[in-house]
């Protein structure tokens, strides 16, 4: 059996993958003298697609299923994985990746929208396993500890990012459903020893016929099992009302996460599209059906399908003009909030609006107040309260505010982010039930056709581990709260675990509903005090974007440590929401502004973990030098900037390598490493002018990557490693 590498670095997508092509050779070169092995595993969207279709490919085209292998590795103490942000693919992204691979000679089947034959159903099942958040639930076999490194926080205070001005008269607000949503309809139970075992989800129609929606489920003793649904009828009434009540001069927007909630949110998104265009669809329904348009795919797909049909295009334009002006993803290109389901990701889009003082970009290219539709009330109060708070108190002072960290319950597919296989659109009116092996009905809901029903779980061991991690981080931070709503069914079950654990530990940590916890956290950070948010999985995702974007201007610079349940380490490198725009700029003018600060922080932690877990003292030396180099990158302001001629990703990697080599040459803990890196440090310093000139030489000109989802390695290397002098020094 092959030996597990000391460090596994992940091959991913878009800007983080381009950055990897430049940074990973440096990491390998610096780790090798210490006898530390670094290997790559492919979890990119293209890699995941190819891995599940070996029978369609030639022997030379087949790839290993690296995600599945990593899924097993993270359950062992040997795991030491640095995970970069990857695409959580929406259907349009998945289809685009398939087409690119087909054009490159991979004989993959098309993505079947409505599979009929056995082959189509098989292909659809394989593709569905790849789309959405297919990676994180597999790798996250531990709970999350995410915070800003001290150096990053200090730099943000000394170099404040731009914040929009909040005024009390702002009309920006959050609008949610008045009821009949996931929050209102949720039921939850903790499995007893008698109930533990197998279970199934069934649908019983009004005629009494029963269909098994999902079988072979297994529930463990102590596992929290939820079930809920959102009424499609109530959702559509809410959308229509929000469109009707949008004031002149206020932008209309919806904020979901179709990439992560890959079954429910594309359906919700489709309802927004179809209600927004209800008159147009009523007039042209048959034509649109013949064109194969599905509202879940968005306005972008509609525009592509009606292109060239003058009558449809004119009527569509008139229908859009009759509705409220929409929040834009890209005003210059006419890309609206409803163009593509994956374009507006709530944990990126809502913090952007809040950071900008409540402003969004309209179709006229100007900023305006925005109505933010977040249908479900489970988490919408966080954003609603944040907006209310800043209207009352004004813009946050980032030069004095405290740091907000997070401990998130996410191990073993906890909560809604693990619900993809158990989410269904009701096929007809009837009852959906969770039925235990004994025949006991654990949960049941009477639903109507089109309602969105889902079940999710959280296992006992991860819950207990999360509580202990929360207690530890609370003690280290000095302030914080468990974000749990006693009036929500799921949270009430978690509180039954939290309260006894706190009593046993002799620690008093407040338990607050998300709205109250939001205000408490904002007040704490405004006072200049640090605060830890101890949350479930979805809020972990949302808050580790919201607060870093307010504090630091980005969430990509957060330190994310996943303490795996069986002793391994998973080190995540920040968010990738801005990655597509960075790629567009690279292709247009050969300037990449992806900031690898998150990778630097994760790398240092990975070395430190390796030193402790596998008794490798040289890894500790490398880790300390990484931290020193990261500090100098910040102190000397050599991180990437936005314009051609300024520092970009490649030049920042040169500076990082130089500072890392200098720190290793100067340290006294390991003489052999110092001797090895002294000439490298000198060569990097002496070659500064030549290296920077070579790195900047191609800027301002368009480049050809040879693909977006599956770019050839040689083309990417030519773009990302253009300095022969640097390459010769590094190797």
């Amino acid at each position: 059996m092959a030996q597990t590498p000391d460090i596994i670095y992940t091959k991913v997508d878009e800007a983080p993958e381009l950055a990897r092509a430049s940074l990973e050779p440096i990491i390998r070169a610096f780790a090798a003298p210490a006898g530390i092995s670094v290997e790559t595993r492919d979890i990119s969207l293209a890699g995941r697609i190819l891995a599940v279709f070996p029978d369609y490919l030639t022997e030379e085209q087949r790839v290993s299923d690296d995600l599945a292998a990593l899924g097993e590795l993270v359950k062992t103490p040997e795991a030491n994985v640095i995970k970069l942000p990857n695409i959580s693919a929406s259907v349009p992204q998945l289809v685009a990746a398939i087409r690119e691979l087909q054009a490159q000679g991979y004989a993959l089947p098309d993505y079947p929208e409505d599979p009929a034959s056995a082959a189509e159903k098989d292909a659809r099942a394989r593709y569905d396993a790849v789309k959405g958040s297919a990676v994180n639930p597999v790798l996250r076999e531990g709970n999350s500890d995410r915070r800003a490194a001290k150096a990053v926080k200090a730099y943000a205070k000394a170099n404040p990012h731009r914040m929009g001005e909040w005024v009390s008269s702002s009309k920006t607000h959050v609008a949610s459903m008045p009821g009949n949503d996931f929050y209102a309809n949720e039921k939850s139970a903790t499995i007893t020893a008698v109930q533990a075992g197998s279970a199934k989800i069934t649908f019983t129609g009004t005629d009494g016929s029963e269909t098994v929606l999902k079988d072979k489920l297994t529930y463990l003793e102590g596992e929290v099992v939820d079930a809920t649904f959102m009424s499609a009828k109530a959702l559509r009434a809410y959308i229509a009302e929000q469109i009707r009540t949008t004031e002149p001069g206020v932008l209309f927007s919806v904020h979901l996460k179709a990439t992560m909630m890959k079954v429910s949110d594309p359906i919700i998104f489709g309802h927004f599209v179809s209600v927004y265009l209800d008159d147009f669809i009523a007039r042209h329904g048959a034509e649109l059906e013949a064109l194969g348009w599905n509202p879940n795919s968005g306005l972008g797909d509609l525009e592509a399908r009606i292109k060239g049909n003058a009558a449809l295009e004119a009527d569509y334009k008139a229908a859009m003009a009759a509705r409220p002006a929409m929040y834009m993803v890209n005003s210059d290109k006419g890309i609206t909030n409803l163009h593509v389901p994956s374009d507006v990701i709530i944990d990126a889009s809502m913090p952007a609006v809040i950071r900008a003082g409540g402003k969004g970009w309209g179709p006229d290219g100007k900023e305006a107040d925005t109505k933010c539709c977040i249908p479900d009330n489970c988490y919408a109060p966080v954003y609603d309260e944040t907006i209310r708070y800043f209207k009352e108190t004004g813009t946050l002072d980032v030069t004095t505010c405290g740091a907000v960290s997070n401990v998130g319950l996410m191990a073993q597919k906890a909560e809604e982010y693990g619900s993809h296989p158990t989410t269904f659109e009701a096929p007809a009116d009837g009852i959906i039930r969770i039925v235990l092996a004994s025949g006991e009905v654990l949960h049941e809901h009477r639903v109507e056709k089109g309602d969105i029903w889902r079940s999710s779980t959280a296992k006992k061991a991860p819950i207990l581990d999360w509580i202990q991690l929360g207690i530890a981080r609370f003690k280290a931070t000095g302030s914080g709260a468990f974000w749990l709503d006693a009036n929500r069914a799921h949270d009430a079950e978690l509180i039954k675990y939290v309260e006894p654990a706190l009593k046993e530990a002799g620690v008093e940590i407040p338990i607050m509903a998300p709205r109250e916890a939001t205000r408490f956290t904002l007040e704490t950070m405004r006072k200049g005090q640090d605060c830890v948010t101890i949350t479930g999985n979805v809020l972990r995702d949302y808050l580790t974007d919201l607060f870093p974007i307010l504090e630091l201007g980005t969430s990509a610079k957060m330190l994310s440590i996943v303490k795996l349940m069986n002793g391994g380490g998973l080190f995540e490198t920040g968010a990738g929401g801005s990655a597509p725009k960075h790629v567009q700029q690279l292709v247009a003018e050969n300037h990449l502004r992806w900031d690898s600060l998150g990778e630097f922080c994760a790398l240092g932690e990975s070395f430190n973990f390796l030193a402790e877990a596998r008794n490798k003292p040289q890894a500790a030396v490398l880790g300390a030098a990484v931290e020193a180099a990261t500090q100098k990158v910040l102190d000397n302001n050599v991180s990437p900037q936005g314009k051609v001629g300024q520092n970009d990703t490649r030049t920042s990697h040169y500076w990082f390598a130089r500072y890392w080599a200098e720190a290793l040459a100067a340290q006294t803990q390991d003489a052999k490493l110092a001797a090895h890196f002294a000439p490298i440090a000198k060569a990097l310093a002496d070659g500064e002018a030549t290296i920077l000139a070579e790195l900047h030489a191609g800027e301002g000109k368009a480049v050809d990557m040879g693909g977006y989802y599956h770019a050839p390695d040689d083309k990417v290397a030519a773009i990302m490693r253009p300095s022969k002098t640097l390459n010769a020094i590094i190797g």
Side-chain angles (χ1 to χ4, degrees), residues 78-423:
E78 289 73 33
N80 184 13
V81 181
I82 297 176
K83 182 198 168 290
L84 281 66
N86 62 279
I87 290 176
S88 296
S90 64
V91 171
Q93 287 174 308
L94 180 60
V95 170
I98 294 166
R99 288 174 179 167
E100 180 176 311
L101 289 166
Q102 289 171 334
Q104 292 176 347
Y106 295 90
L108 297 166
D110 290 335
Y111 178 80
E113 289 280 357
D114 298 301
S117 68
E120 288 177 336
K121 290 178 180 178
D122 173 66
R124 176 63 180 266
R126 297 197 214 185
Y127 281 131
D128 283 351
V130 168
K131 75 180 183 184
S133 182
V135 173
N136 290 338
V138 174
L139 298 186
R140 287 172 170 169
E141 280 288 320
N143 292 312
S144 171
D145 173 7
R146 187 169 289 196
R147 55 190 185 272
K150 290 182 180 180
V152 173
K153 179 63 176 176
Y155 178 84
K157 283 186 170 183
N159 301 271
H161 59 273
R162 187 183 69 84
M163 294 280 281
E165 182 182 358
W166 273 100
V167 294
S168 59
S169 58
S170 170
K171 293 183 178 180
T172 293
H173 64 284
V174 170
S176 301
M177 292 175 66
N180 226 351
D181 59 353
F182 292 127
Y183 179 90
N185 293 323
E186 188 173 65
K187 299 178 180 180
S188 185
T190 300
I191 298 295
T192 66
V194 174
Q195 293 172 320
S198 61
K200 61 182 178 180
I201 299 171
T202 65
F203 170 77
T204 304
T206 53
D207 61 357
S209 62
E210 183 178 286
T211 303
V212 176
L213 299 177
K214 184 74 175 179
D215 61 1
K216 298 180 181 177
L217 296 172
T218 301
Y219 297 139
L220 305 176
E221 181 183 356
E223 187 167 358
V224 176
V225 179
D226 311 326
T228 187
F229 76 96
M230 176 180 283
S231 163
K233 187 181 295 182
L235 172 64
R236 294 182 67 84
Y238 148 79
I239 297 168
E241 177 65 11
Q242 295 311 316
I243 293 172
R244 186 188 68 79
T245 58
T246 300
E247 296 183 42
V250 175
L251 302 174
F252 179 81
S253 67
V254 57
H255 302 266
L256 302 166
K257 193 155 188 180
T259 53
M260 188 68 78
M261 301 303 298
K262 63 183 181 181
V263 180
S264 60
D265 282 21
I267 298 171
I268 297 171
F269 178 85
H271 283 297
F272 272 91
V273 171
S274 61
V275 174
Y276 194 83
L277 287 180
D278 56 357
D279 290 341
F280 176 77
I281 293 171
R283 288 193 297 273
H284 302 289
E287 292 173 89
L288 297 176
E289 185 175 351
L291 289 171
W293 179 63
N294 183 338
N296 295 8
S297 297
L299 300 182
D301 186 57
L302 172 62
E303 291 177 1
R305 291 177 188 270
I306 67 173
K307 189 174 182 179
N309 186 321
L312 276 179
E313 287 184 314
D315 204 14
Y316 168 71
K317 185 176 180 180
M320 292 289 288
R323 289 305 205 180
M326 205 181 303
Y327 170 101
M328 303 295 285
V329 172
N330 189 318
S331 299
D332 294 338
K333 295 184 177 181
I335 300 175
T336 72
N337 181 228
L338 294 179
H339 255 59
V340 182
S342 58
D343 267 356
V344 177
I345 301 173
I346 183 171
D347 47 317
S349 59
M350 282 304 302
V353 169
I354 293 167
R355 178 189 168 187
K359 302 295 185 181
W361 292 100
D364 58 359
K366 297 178 181 179
E367 288 186 312
D369 291 342
T370 305
K371 170 179 284 197
C372 303
C373 292
I374 306 174
D376 182 44
N377 283 277
C378 287
Y379 307 110
V382 170
Y383 298 114
D384 182 52
E385 190 64 22
T386 301
I387 289 171
R388 291 173 184 266
Y389 179 81
F390 285 128
K391 284 183 184 180
E392 294 172 17
T393 62
T395 306
L396 181 70
D397 185 351
V398 299
T399 67
T400 61
C401 73
V404 178
S405 55
N406 176 263
V407 169
L409 171 60
M410 69 176 190
Q412 299 177 6
K413 305 179 182 179
E415 302 185 328
E416 296 96 321
Y417 279 0
S419 68
H420 317 315
T422 51
T423 301

Side-chain angles (χ1 to χ4, degrees), residues 26 30 629 633 652-662 680-681 684 726 730:
I26 296 170
F30 279 58
V633 167
S652 74
H653 290 172
Y654 157 71
W655 288 110
F656 174 73
R658 176 173 162 180
Y659 297 148
W660 192 7
E662 289 172 349
I680 294 175
L684 289 170
L726 177 59
I730 297 301

Side-chain angles (χ1 to χ4, degrees), residues 34-53:
I36 294 171
S37 58
V38 180
E39 294 185 10
T40 307
R41 298 291 184 270
D42 188 352
I43 59 171
S44 67
L45 175 58
R48 303 196 312 265
I49 292 171
L50 295 176
V52 298
F53 285 100

